Amino acid sequence: MIPNQLTVFFMTIYLLESLTIIVQSSLIVAVLSREWVQVKRLSPVDMILISLSVCHFCLQWSSVLHNFCSYFNPDDDLWYITTIWEFTNTLAFWLTSLLAVVYCVKVSSFTYAIFLWLRWRILRLVPRLLLGSLMISCVTIIVSALRVVFIKSQLISMMQLPGNNTETETLRTFLEKNYVHQLLATSFIPFLLFLTSTILLIASLCQHLRQIRHHDTGHSNFSMKAHATALRFLAFFLIFFTSYFLTIIISTTYNLTHKSYWFWASETIIYATVSIHLTSLMLSSPALKKVLKVSCCVPKLPEAPGTTRI
């Protein structure tokens, strides 16, 4: 089947985005690994960034292989690639939420007891939290693999029996809905954690910005610009990650086929947000900005009084 012009257009954009994400992920890992070798240490945030970049690298390759193999060879059994995609996608959600939590705890100026307790412990907890994210994703992949084995065994058994076409289609429909619910459950919890952390950080920066405006000095004007830029950066990040989550859920719910240009359009939107996300992370990292020689002004998120650099 020859794809129509719209399908070719979105496939091309999707492929270019995928190559961009692979290059971005590789660059982040290479730069931060080199810094790790030079200074003999790695900050907790850089640990998360390296883990997230490796995750996106594997996620993008699995997505490309699955999508193009499904398009050109729709009869092939690609459950192993689908399982890898589910694993890396779940892990990416947890790592992104972990990064948001770390920034929220270290940067926000809240004085609640839980924030004060976490502020002095969050950096030491990062390696354990990374291990926890990996373990949760492994549990998800085991459940997914068992689900695939169950689907194949049930469908093969029912297809061998005569006159069971209605029951087979009913089972297919049930399992597809079950898959959507599983994907929603595994993605919603880390997404909610990310959403809460980002909103709390935005609220804290807004509160601090009002305090700076109340004390209008030359230094406060510079601080106001830094805080205003940080707020725009966070709002931009929140919008695009939310779009990523919603687009995945919608495209999975409607079960778009690989032959449809709507499927490739949704893939284009999904991975455009991933590329923008990685770009924002690169611009917020001093080591990456130095290597890339980025001259645009994207200041670091201001730290709360009494906190250390993360």
Side-chain angles (χ1 to χ4, degrees):
M1 178 181 176
I2 301 176
N4 59 40
Q5 292 182 349
L6 271 177
T7 304
V8 171
F9 172 76
F10 286 121
M11 287 174 68
T12 305
I13 298 299
Y14 164 76
L15 186 58
L16 291 175
E17 289 173 351
S18 299
L19 293 175
T20 302
I21 292 169
I22 291 170
V23 171
Q24 288 175 316
S25 303
S26 303
L27 185 61
I28 292 175
V29 173
V31 171
L32 294 182
S33 298
R34 187 187 68 175
E35 187 180 17
W36 185 11
V37 172
Q38 289 176 347
V39 301
K40 307 299 181 183
R41 63 181 297 272
L42 196 64
S43 70
V45 169
D46 287 344
M47 290 181 191
I48 302 175
L49 287 178
I50 287 181
S51 302
L52 187 59
S53 299
V54 172
C55 185
H56 276 304
F57 181 88
C58 298
L59 174 67
Q60 203 59 42
W61 271 117
S62 62
S63 173
V64 171
L65 290 174
H66 181 270
N67 288 341
F68 282 102
C69 288
S70 297
Y71 184 87
F72 292 106
N73 298 292
D75 296 330
D76 287 354
D77 189 0
L78 303 173
W79 66 268
Y80 50 94
I81 301 180
T82 304
T83 304
I84 294 173
W85 183 89
E86 290 178 12
F87 170 73
T88 51
N89 184 65
T90 302
L91 184 57
F93 267 97
W94 280 105
L95 292 176
T96 303
S97 67
L98 177 58
L99 186 63
V101 169
V102 170
Y103 273 126
C104 178
V105 171
K106 294 300 296 180
V107 174
S108 64
S109 56
F110 295 120
T111 56
Y112 301 110
I114 184 64
F115 276 90
L116 296 176
W117 183 84
L118 285 173
R119 188 166 293 158
W120 298 106
R121 292 167 176 81
I122 189 69
L123 298 185
R124 287 178 291 179
L125 291 175
V126 165
R128 297 180 183 179
L129 293 173
L130 286 173
L131 181 60
S133 301
L134 183 61
M135 291 178 64
I136 292 173
S137 301
C138 287
V139 171
T140 302
I141 202 66
I142 292 173
V143 173
S144 178
L146 292 175
R147 177 182 58 82
V148 170
V149 172
F150 173 76
I151 291 173
K152 292 180 67 176
S153 62
Q154 291 294 318
L155 289 177
I156 291 173
S157 299
M158 296 188 72
M159 289 174 66
Q160 291 176 347
L161 298 175
N164 275 337
N165 293 334
T166 304
E167 290 80 358
T168 302
E169 290 302 319
T170 302
L171 179 61
R172 287 181 186 272
T173 304
F174 170 77
L175 292 174
E176 287 173 358
K177 291 181 178 179
N178 180 264
Y179 170 69
V180 174
H181 294 156
Q182 178 187 325
L183 180 64
L184 181 60
T186 55
S187 303
F188 181 73
I189 296 175
F191 173 73
L192 186 62
L193 192 59
F194 161 83
L195 194 64
T196 304
S197 301
T198 306
I199 290 175
L200 284 174
L201 184 53
I202 290 175
S204 174
L205 288 175
C206 287
Q207 182 182 16
H208 197 54
L209 187 60
R210 285 194 295 268
Q211 293 175 356
I212 293 174
R213 284 175 177 170
H214 188 263
H215 304 86
D216 192 8
T217 63
H219 175 71
S220 65
N221 287 333
F222 177 78
S223 263
M224 281 178 61
K225 292 181 180 179
H227 278 72
T229 305
L231 282 172
R232 287 194 295 268
F233 175 78
L234 284 171
F236 185 75
F237 186 33
L238 179 62
I239 291 171
F240 276 95
F241 192 73
T242 303
S243 302
Y244 173 72
F245 172 76
L246 293 177
T247 308
I248 284 182
I249 298 302
I250 292 172
S251 62
T252 308
T253 302
Y254 284 95
N255 195 23
L256 300 173
T257 65
H258 290 78
K259 300 295 183 181
S260 170
Y261 70 86
W262 285 109
F263 170 81
W264 293 100
S266 66
E267 291 292 286
T268 301
I269 296 172
I270 289 172
Y271 293 106
T273 60
V274 174
S275 180
I276 293 171
H277 175 209
L278 289 174
T279 302
S280 65
L281 292 178
M282 293 170 71
L283 292 177
S284 65
S285 171
L288 290 166
K289 285 181 65 176
K290 182 179 179 181
V291 171
L292 297 173
K293 297 180 180 180
V294 179
S295 59
C296 56
C297 181
V298 183
K300 293 189 302 178
L301 296 177
E303 297 181 354
T307 61
T308 57
R309 183 183 179 274
I310 55 179

